[in-house]
Amino acid sequence: LAGKAPALTDQHVCNVVWAYAKVEARSPGVLRHMTAVGEEVQRDGKLAAMQIHHVAGIVWSFARAFIPDQEAAAPELLPPGVLATVAAAGRLAQRSLGEWEPRTLVSVMWATARASLQDEALSLAPA
């Protein structure tokens, strides 16, 4: 994928990381690739420019891939780029709650809670 990165859309990126998570692919190469995706979407405001469903899909995939078996993980166990992306998605959702459909919002809430980012997760809960 690295050589094809300029031609990839947000949908392509979301589909690839979602597929890794869905089939529970956790090889070192897959996790390195997902870490690189997390770092890349943090650059130049890319995450904020994505459509909401892509943001939700990417962070759901990160939480599913890096934190298996319905466990919560201490934030320091996640690669920094992945943790930063999950936290940024939580902040993004919180700033624009009215624009998020329940399904996408729940995906981000679940990912932030799974990554033990309680402040981000709780900020998305209904009052």
Side-chain angles (χ1 to χ4, degrees):
L1 289 176
K4 304 236 182 238
L8 295 178
T9 67
D10 297 340
Q11 182 68 54
H12 294 130
V13 173
C14 184
N15 288 350
V16 169
V17 296
W18 180 87
Y20 286 153
K22 191 67 175 169
V23 300
E24 299 181 5
R26 293 188 181 100
S27 71
V30 165
L31 296 179
R32 276 193 307 274
H33 180 253
M34 291 183 84
T35 298
V37 168
E39 292 167 354
E40 182 61 28
V41 299
Q42 286 291 304
R43 290 189 181 100
D44 305 319
K46 289 179 183 175
L47 190 70
M50 287 182 173
Q51 292 181 24
I52 290 168
H53 61 277
H54 294 144
V55 172
I58 288 170
V59 298
W60 177 90
S61 300
F62 286 168
R64 179 83 170 113
F66 283 95
I67 311 164
D69 302 321
Q70 300 298 326
E71 298 174 9
E76 61 271 7
L77 296 178
L78 293 170
V82 170
L83 182 64
T85 300
V86 173
R91 290 188 302 272
L92 181 64
Q94 201 279 327
R95 285 193 305 264
S96 57
L97 278 174
E99 299 173 24
W100 289 66
E101 293 181 18
R103 180 178 178 180
T104 54
L105 186 59
V106 166
S107 292
V108 173
M109 286 178 70
W110 182 82
T112 56
R114 189 95 182 249
S116 295
L117 297 169
Q118 275 77 20
D119 291 342
E120 287 84 349
L122 291 174
S123 73
L124 299 174

